[in-house]
Amino acid sequence: MSETKPPLLEVRGLTKYFPVRGGLLHRVTAQVRAVDGVDFIIEQGLTLGLVGESGCGKSTLGRAILRLHEPTSGQVLLEGEDFTALSRDALVAERRSMQIIFQDPFASLSPRRTVAQIIREPLDVHKIGASDDRDQRVIELLDTVGMGPEVRDRYPHEFSGGQRQRIGIARALALDPKFIVADEPVSALDVSVQSQVLNLIAKLKRERGIAFLFISHDLAVIQHVSDEIGVMYLGRIVELASVEDLYRNPKHPYTKALMSAIPVPDPERKSQRTILYGDVPSPMNPPSGCSFHTRCPVARPECAQQEPRTVNVGGDGSRHEVACHLYTDG
Protein backbone atom coordinates (compact mmCIF):
# COMPACT_ATOMS: atom_id res chain seq x y z
CA MET A 1 0.00 0.00 0.00
CA SER A 2 1.55 3.29 -1.11
CA GLU A 3 1.95 6.15 1.34
CA THR A 4 -0.16 9.28 0.93
CA LYS A 5 1.89 12.10 -0.53
CA PRO A 6 2.08 15.08 1.85
CA PRO A 7 0.83 18.48 0.67
CA LEU A 8 3.39 20.84 -0.82
CA LEU A 9 3.07 23.27 2.09
CA GLU A 10 1.47 22.72 5.48
CA VAL A 11 1.36 25.34 8.22
CA ARG A 12 0.60 24.10 11.73
CA GLY A 13 -0.15 26.42 14.66
CA LEU A 14 2.22 29.12 13.42
CA THR A 15 2.72 32.10 15.72
CA LYS A 16 4.92 35.17 15.56
CA TYR A 17 5.13 37.48 18.57
CA PHE A 18 7.25 40.62 18.64
CA PRO A 19 8.54 41.66 22.09
CA VAL A 20 7.86 45.18 23.35
CA ARG A 21 10.61 46.46 25.63
CA GLY A 22 10.56 49.32 28.09
CA GLY A 23 11.94 50.71 31.32
CA LEU A 24 15.49 51.38 32.40
CA LEU A 25 16.49 47.72 32.06
CA HIS A 26 14.88 47.41 28.63
CA ARG A 27 12.88 44.40 29.72
CA VAL A 28 10.12 42.75 27.72
CA THR A 29 6.89 44.33 28.95
CA ALA A 30 4.44 42.98 26.37
CA GLN A 31 4.13 40.95 23.17
CA VAL A 32 2.66 42.03 19.85
CA ARG A 33 0.80 38.93 18.68
CA ALA A 34 1.12 39.53 14.94
CA VAL A 35 0.40 35.90 13.96
CA ASP A 36 -1.49 33.95 16.58
CA GLY A 37 -1.95 30.29 15.66
CA VAL A 38 -2.49 29.75 11.94
CA ASP A 39 -3.17 26.44 10.17
CA PHE A 40 -3.61 25.75 6.44
CA ILE A 41 -2.30 23.66 3.57
CA ILE A 42 -1.47 24.54 -0.04
CA GLU A 43 -1.30 21.80 -2.65
CA GLN A 44 1.10 21.89 -5.58
CA GLY A 45 0.08 24.28 -8.34
CA LEU A 46 -2.68 25.95 -6.32
CA THR A 47 -3.02 29.47 -4.92
CA LEU A 48 -4.25 30.37 -1.46
CA GLY A 49 -5.37 33.98 -1.32
CA LEU A 50 -5.00 35.71 2.04
CA VAL A 51 -7.20 38.75 2.64
CA GLY A 52 -7.88 41.04 5.58
CA GLU A 53 -7.57 44.60 6.82
CA SER A 54 -4.19 46.32 7.09
CA GLY A 55 -2.40 45.25 10.26
CA CYS A 56 -4.07 41.84 10.54
CA GLY A 57 -0.75 39.98 10.14
CA LYS A 58 -0.89 38.88 6.49
CA SER A 59 2.61 40.02 5.50
CA THR A 60 4.12 38.86 8.79
CA LEU A 61 2.63 35.42 8.19
CA GLY A 62 4.18 35.25 4.72
CA ARG A 63 7.59 36.21 6.07
CA ALA A 64 7.32 33.81 9.01
CA ILE A 65 6.62 30.93 6.61
CA LEU A 66 9.86 31.74 4.77
CA ARG A 67 11.70 32.38 8.07
CA LEU A 68 12.46 35.96 7.11
CA HIS A 69 10.87 36.45 10.53
CA GLU A 70 11.71 33.52 12.80
CA PRO A 71 8.40 31.99 14.01
CA THR A 72 7.76 32.05 17.74
CA SER A 73 6.18 28.60 17.59
CA GLY A 74 4.50 26.21 15.19
CA GLN A 75 5.66 24.34 12.12
CA VAL A 76 6.00 24.93 8.39
CA LEU A 77 6.24 21.64 6.47
CA LEU A 78 7.51 21.70 2.90
CA GLU A 79 6.63 18.36 1.29
CA GLY A 80 6.59 16.85 4.76
CA GLU A 81 9.94 18.28 5.91
CA ASP A 82 9.89 20.68 8.85
CA PHE A 83 11.19 23.95 7.37
CA THR A 84 11.21 25.62 10.80
CA ALA A 85 13.60 23.01 12.24
CA LEU A 86 16.34 23.39 9.63
CA SER A 87 19.80 24.58 10.62
CA ARG A 88 21.14 27.76 9.04
CA ASP A 89 23.17 25.86 6.42
CA ALA A 90 20.28 23.55 5.55
CA LEU A 91 17.94 26.55 5.38
CA VAL A 92 20.09 28.26 2.76
CA ALA A 93 19.89 25.20 0.53
CA GLU A 94 16.16 24.72 1.06
CA ARG A 95 15.37 28.37 0.29
CA ARG A 96 15.70 27.47 -3.38
CA SER A 97 12.24 25.94 -3.14
CA MET A 98 10.55 28.95 -1.52
CA GLN A 99 10.73 32.53 -2.80
CA ILE A 100 8.95 35.86 -2.36
CA ILE A 101 7.65 38.68 -4.56
CA PHE A 102 7.65 41.92 -2.58
CA GLN A 103 4.98 44.61 -2.50
CA ASP A 104 7.12 47.56 -3.55
CA PRO A 105 9.08 46.69 -6.69
CA PHE A 106 11.23 49.83 -6.40
CA ALA A 107 12.31 49.28 -2.79
CA SER A 108 13.01 45.58 -3.32
CA LEU A 109 15.46 46.10 -6.21
CA SER A 110 18.95 47.46 -5.58
CA PRO A 111 19.36 50.80 -7.41
CA ARG A 112 23.09 50.11 -7.81
CA ARG A 113 22.70 46.85 -9.68
CA THR A 114 21.73 46.25 -13.28
CA VAL A 115 18.79 44.07 -14.21
CA ALA A 116 21.15 41.24 -15.14
CA GLN A 117 22.95 41.45 -11.80
CA ILE A 118 19.67 41.47 -9.87
CA ILE A 119 18.25 38.40 -11.62
CA ARG A 120 21.56 36.57 -11.64
CA GLU A 121 22.27 37.07 -7.92
CA PRO A 122 20.36 33.94 -6.70
CA LEU A 123 22.25 31.85 -9.25
CA ASP A 124 25.56 33.27 -8.01
CA VAL A 125 24.68 32.73 -4.34
CA HIS A 126 23.76 29.08 -4.91
CA LYS A 127 26.58 28.55 -7.45
CA ILE A 128 24.28 27.18 -10.12
CA GLY A 129 25.88 26.62 -13.53
CA ALA A 130 28.88 28.24 -15.17
CA SER A 131 29.05 31.99 -15.81
CA ASP A 132 27.84 31.68 -19.40
CA ASP A 133 24.97 29.44 -18.28
CA ARG A 134 23.88 32.03 -15.74
CA ASP A 135 23.91 34.78 -18.36
CA GLN A 136 21.75 32.64 -20.63
CA ARG A 137 19.42 31.89 -17.73
CA VAL A 138 18.93 35.64 -17.20
CA ILE A 139 17.85 36.02 -20.83
CA GLU A 140 15.41 33.11 -20.48
CA LEU A 141 13.90 34.57 -17.32
CA LEU A 142 13.47 37.99 -18.92
CA ASP A 143 11.68 36.34 -21.80
CA THR A 144 9.43 34.46 -19.36
CA VAL A 145 8.22 37.72 -17.80
CA GLY A 146 7.79 39.44 -21.16
CA MET A 147 10.96 41.52 -21.34
CA GLY A 148 13.74 41.44 -23.92
CA PRO A 149 17.49 40.88 -23.47
CA GLU A 150 18.21 44.53 -24.33
CA VAL A 151 17.19 45.59 -20.80
CA ARG A 152 19.96 43.60 -19.09
CA ASP A 153 22.32 46.54 -18.55
CA ARG A 154 19.72 49.04 -17.42
CA TYR A 155 18.95 50.03 -13.81
CA PRO A 156 15.64 49.79 -11.90
CA HIS A 157 14.96 53.55 -11.96
CA GLU A 158 14.74 53.39 -15.76
CA PHE A 159 11.60 51.24 -15.67
CA SER A 160 7.93 51.69 -14.85
CA GLY A 161 6.40 50.10 -11.75
CA GLY A 162 4.97 47.20 -13.75
CA GLN A 163 8.30 46.52 -15.44
CA ARG A 164 10.11 46.60 -12.10
CA GLN A 165 7.67 44.08 -10.70
CA ARG A 166 8.33 41.82 -13.69
CA ILE A 167 12.03 42.02 -12.85
CA GLY A 168 11.20 41.05 -9.27
CA ILE A 169 9.19 38.08 -10.52
CA ALA A 170 12.07 37.01 -12.78
CA ARG A 171 14.40 37.07 -9.77
CA ALA A 172 11.94 34.96 -7.76
CA LEU A 173 11.82 32.40 -10.59
CA ALA A 174 15.60 32.12 -10.98
CA LEU A 175 15.89 29.04 -8.74
CA ASP A 176 12.77 27.24 -10.06
CA PRO A 177 10.88 27.44 -6.75
CA LYS A 178 7.96 25.21 -5.84
CA PHE A 179 6.28 27.85 -3.68
CA ILE A 180 6.15 31.66 -3.83
CA VAL A 181 4.79 34.18 -1.35
CA ALA A 182 3.33 37.07 -3.37
CA ASP A 183 3.04 39.90 -0.83
CA GLU A 184 0.57 42.39 -2.34
CA PRO A 185 2.49 42.29 -5.64
CA VAL A 186 0.12 44.63 -7.51
CA SER A 187 -1.01 47.08 -4.81
CA ALA A 188 1.69 49.61 -5.75
CA LEU A 189 0.84 49.45 -9.47
CA ASP A 190 -1.60 51.36 -11.63
CA VAL A 191 -4.87 49.54 -12.30
CA SER A 192 -4.03 49.34 -16.01
CA VAL A 193 -0.85 47.43 -15.18
CA GLN A 194 -2.25 45.18 -12.44
CA SER A 195 -4.05 42.83 -14.84
CA GLN A 196 -0.84 42.23 -16.81
CA VAL A 197 1.08 41.17 -13.70
CA LEU A 198 -1.85 39.06 -12.44
CA ASN A 199 -2.10 37.28 -15.80
CA LEU A 200 1.64 36.62 -15.68
CA ILE A 201 1.33 35.04 -12.21
CA ALA A 202 -1.62 32.93 -13.38
CA LYS A 203 0.43 31.77 -16.37
CA LEU A 204 3.35 30.75 -14.14
CA LYS A 205 1.03 28.76 -11.90
CA ARG A 206 -0.55 27.02 -14.87
CA GLU A 207 2.61 26.24 -16.84
CA ARG A 208 5.12 25.61 -14.04
CA GLY A 209 2.91 24.21 -11.31
CA ILE A 210 4.10 26.79 -8.77
CA ALA A 211 2.01 27.14 -5.62
CA PHE A 212 1.35 30.66 -4.33
CA LEU A 213 0.35 32.33 -1.10
CA PHE A 214 -1.13 35.50 -2.57
CA ILE A 215 -1.53 38.28 0.00
CA SER A 216 -3.84 41.20 -0.74
CA HIS A 217 -6.43 43.51 0.77
CA ASP A 218 -8.26 43.72 -2.57
CA LEU A 219 -11.11 41.20 -2.76
CA ALA A 220 -11.43 41.54 -6.54
CA VAL A 221 -7.76 40.71 -7.05
CA ILE A 222 -7.96 37.78 -4.63
CA GLN A 223 -10.97 36.37 -6.47
CA HIS A 224 -9.17 36.56 -9.81
CA VAL A 225 -6.02 34.64 -8.83
CA SER A 226 -6.97 32.24 -6.02
CA ASP A 227 -8.21 28.67 -5.75
CA GLU A 228 -8.93 29.03 -2.02
CA ILE A 229 -9.21 32.10 0.18
CA GLY A 230 -8.29 32.57 3.82
CA VAL A 231 -9.78 35.53 5.68
CA MET A 232 -7.49 36.86 8.40
CA TYR A 233 -8.37 38.98 11.40
CA LEU A 234 -6.01 40.01 14.19
CA GLY A 235 -3.44 37.31 13.51
CA ARG A 236 -5.87 34.42 12.96
CA ILE A 237 -7.62 32.87 9.96
CA VAL A 238 -11.33 33.09 10.75
CA GLU A 239 -12.61 31.51 7.51
CA LEU A 240 -11.10 29.42 4.73
CA ALA A 241 -12.90 28.03 1.68
CA SER A 242 -12.78 27.71 -2.07
CA VAL A 243 -13.27 30.92 -4.04
CA GLU A 244 -16.70 29.81 -5.22
CA ASP A 245 -17.95 28.87 -1.74
CA LEU A 246 -16.60 31.96 -0.04
CA TYR A 247 -18.09 34.44 -2.49
CA ARG A 248 -21.38 32.56 -2.83
CA ASN A 249 -21.93 31.77 0.83
CA PRO A 250 -19.63 33.57 3.31
CA LYS A 251 -20.13 32.33 6.87
CA HIS A 252 -18.12 34.44 9.30
CA PRO A 253 -19.57 37.87 10.20
CA TYR A 254 -16.23 39.49 9.39
CA THR A 255 -16.14 37.89 5.94
CA LYS A 256 -19.69 39.05 5.30
CA ALA A 257 -18.71 42.60 6.21
CA LEU A 258 -15.76 42.52 3.82
CA MET A 259 -17.92 41.11 1.03
CA SER A 260 -20.57 43.78 1.54
CA ALA A 261 -17.95 46.45 0.80
CA ILE A 262 -17.35 45.18 -2.74
CA PRO A 263 -18.81 47.69 -5.23
CA VAL A 264 -21.77 46.36 -7.25
CA PRO A 265 -21.40 47.15 -11.01
CA ASP A 266 -25.13 47.83 -11.38
CA PRO A 267 -26.57 51.29 -10.63
CA GLU A 268 -30.06 49.83 -10.26
CA ARG A 269 -29.06 47.34 -7.59
CA LYS A 270 -28.62 48.45 -4.00
CA SER A 271 -26.06 46.58 -1.93
CA GLN A 272 -26.64 45.75 1.73
CA ARG A 273 -23.56 47.21 3.38
CA THR A 274 -22.51 45.86 6.78
CA ILE A 275 -20.82 48.61 8.78
CA LEU A 276 -18.22 47.57 11.36
CA TYR A 277 -18.05 50.02 14.24
CA GLY A 278 -15.05 50.64 16.41
CA ASP A 279 -11.37 50.16 15.71
CA VAL A 280 -9.38 46.97 15.21
CA PRO A 281 -8.08 45.97 18.66
CA SER A 282 -4.38 46.14 19.34
CA PRO A 283 -2.51 42.85 18.72
CA MET A 284 -0.54 43.74 21.85
CA ASN A 285 -3.70 43.33 23.92
CA PRO A 286 -6.21 41.28 21.90
CA PRO A 287 -9.73 40.72 23.26
CA SER A 288 -10.57 37.59 25.19
CA GLY A 289 -12.59 34.87 23.50
CA CYS A 290 -13.27 35.58 19.84
CA SER A 291 -10.98 38.39 18.72
CA PHE A 292 -13.75 39.82 16.52
CA HIS A 293 -16.47 40.04 19.20
CA THR A 294 -15.79 43.72 19.99
CA ARG A 295 -16.95 44.70 16.48
CA CYS A 296 -19.24 41.81 15.59
CA PRO A 297 -22.89 42.75 14.84
CA VAL A 298 -24.14 39.33 16.04
CA ALA A 299 -21.87 38.79 19.06
CA ARG A 300 -23.23 36.74 21.96
CA PRO A 301 -22.04 36.53 25.61
CA GLU A 302 -19.96 33.41 24.99
CA CYS A 303 -18.04 35.19 22.22
CA ALA A 304 -16.24 37.30 24.84
CA GLN A 305 -15.50 34.32 27.07
CA GLN A 306 -14.34 31.47 24.88
CA GLU A 307 -12.25 31.31 21.71
CA PRO A 308 -14.26 29.55 18.98
CA ARG A 309 -12.85 26.37 17.54
CA THR A 310 -12.53 25.95 13.78
CA VAL A 311 -15.15 23.69 12.22
CA ASN A 312 -15.81 22.48 8.70
CA VAL A 313 -19.24 23.59 7.50
CA GLY A 314 -18.77 22.53 3.87
CA GLY A 315 -21.23 20.07 2.40
CA ASP A 316 -20.49 17.00 0.25
CA GLY A 317 -17.02 16.62 1.74
CA SER A 318 -15.84 20.06 0.61
CA ARG A 319 -13.66 22.19 2.86
CA HIS A 320 -15.23 25.35 4.24
CA GLU A 321 -13.68 26.12 7.61
CA VAL A 322 -14.95 28.84 9.94
CA ALA A 323 -14.07 29.87 13.49
CA CYS A 324 -17.31 31.29 14.92
CA HIS A 325 -19.62 30.35 17.79
CA LEU A 326 -22.58 30.56 15.42
CA TYR A 327 -21.41 27.26 13.91
CA THR A 328 -19.99 25.46 16.96
CA ASP A 329 -23.17 25.07 19.01
CA GLY A 330 -23.68 21.47 20.01
Side-chain angles (χ1 to χ4, degrees):
M1 184 175 179
S2 60
E3 295 183 2
T4 303
K5 184 178 180 181
L8 177 68
L9 184 82
E10 183 175 4
V11 175
R12 297 178 180 173
L14 196 67
T15 67
K16 177 57 186 177
Y17 297 168
F18 293 96
V20 178
R21 299 180 182 274
L24 292 175
L25 299 178
H26 205 55
R27 290 175 174 169
V28 175
T29 58
Q31 298 276 1
V32 176
R33 304 170 74 158
V35 178
D36 197 15
V38 170
D39 302 271
F40 62 80
I41 63 172
I42 303 178
E43 299 288 354
Q44 182 177 351
L46 299 183
T47 297
L48 173 64
L50 195 63
V51 67
E53 294 171 285
S54 296
C56 71
K58 304 186 301 295
S59 294
T60 302
L61 173 59
R63 285 164 167 74
I65 289 171
L66 299 177
R67 288 182 62 182
L68 299 179
H69 293 318
E70 282 293 339
T72 303
S73 64
Q75 290 180 301
V76 176
L77 305 178
L78 182 66
E79 296 184 319
E81 181 179 7
D82 190 351
F83 192 72
T84 52
L86 296 177
S87 66
R88 183 174 297 274
D89 290 342
L91 178 62
V92 171
E94 200 63 31
R95 281 198 191 280
R96 294 176 57 173
S97 300
M98 305 171 75
Q99 294 292 311
I100 185 168
I101 302 169
F102 293 97
Q103 177 177 357
D104 187 346
F106 189 74
S108 64
L109 302 178
S110 172
R112 296 181 177 86
R113 288 175 173 263
T114 65
V115 169
Q117 290 171 331
I118 289 170
I119 298 175
R120 179 177 158 148
E121 183 178 15
L123 303 173
D124 293 335
V125 168
H126 289 272
K127 299 179 175 59
I128 297 175
S131 180
D132 290 345
D133 295 331
R134 296 173 194 175
D135 291 338
Q136 183 60 37
R137 177 67 172 155
V138 168
I139 295 174
E140 293 172 358
L141 290 165
L142 285 170
D143 180 68
T144 297
V145 299
M147 302 183 74
E150 67 277 2
V151 306
R152 286 175 296 172
D153 297 324
R154 294 167 61 185
Y155 290 85
H157 73 271
E158 301 179 62
F159 297 93
S160 67
Q163 289 172 319
R164 286 195 289 266
Q165 194 60 289
R166 288 174 184 268
I167 295 167
I169 293 172
R171 178 179 59 186
L173 293 174
L175 300 174
D176 287 324
K178 300 174 183 176
F179 170 71
I180 293 178
V181 173
D183 186 8
E184 305 222 29
V186 298
S187 63
L189 306 180
D190 293 337
V191 174
S192 59
V193 181
Q194 286 186 6
S195 61
Q196 299 174 18
V197 175
L198 292 174
N199 289 336
L200 172 59
I201 290 175
K203 178 183 177 182
L204 294 172
K205 183 182 79 168
R206 183 175 63 252
E207 295 182 353
R208 299 189 176 212
I210 299 173
F212 284 86
L213 176 66
F214 193 100
I215 298 168
S216 180
H217 62 275
D218 190 324
L219 285 161
V221 169
I222 284 288
Q223 184 181 21
H224 179 72
V225 301
S226 303
D227 299 289
E228 290 188 318
I229 297 178
V231 181
M232 199 165 180
Y233 184 82
L234 212 62
R236 299 174 180 173
I237 292 181
V238 297
E239 186 166 2
L240 191 152
S242 68
V243 173
E244 295 79 9
D245 285 347
L246 196 79
Y247 278 78
R248 183 181 65 249
N249 189 20
K251 298 291 187 182
H252 198 280
Y254 179 59
T255 308
K256 293 178 180 179
L258 292 180
M259 294 296 182
S260 73
I262 300 175
V264 178
D266 184 353
E268 302 296 327
R269 180 183 166 191
K270 293 184 179 180
S271 60
Q272 295 293 324
R273 179 72 188 272
T274 301
I275 305 297
L276 296 180
Y277 295 98
D279 297 324
V280 178
S282 169
M284 193 164 60
N285 186 26
S288 60
C290 174
S291 58
F292 185 59
H293 84 264
T294 57
R295 303 173 72 199
C296 182
V298 294
R300 303 185 299 192
E302 61 264 34
C303 298
Q305 301 166 3
Q306 184 177 0
E307 181 182 339
R309 57 189 174 88
T310 300
V311 296
N312 186 9
V313 296
D316 301 324
S318 63
R319 184 169 66 150
H320 190 148
E321 298 176 351
V322 60
C324 179
H325 285 295
L326 292 175
Y327 305 95
T328 58
D329 289 343

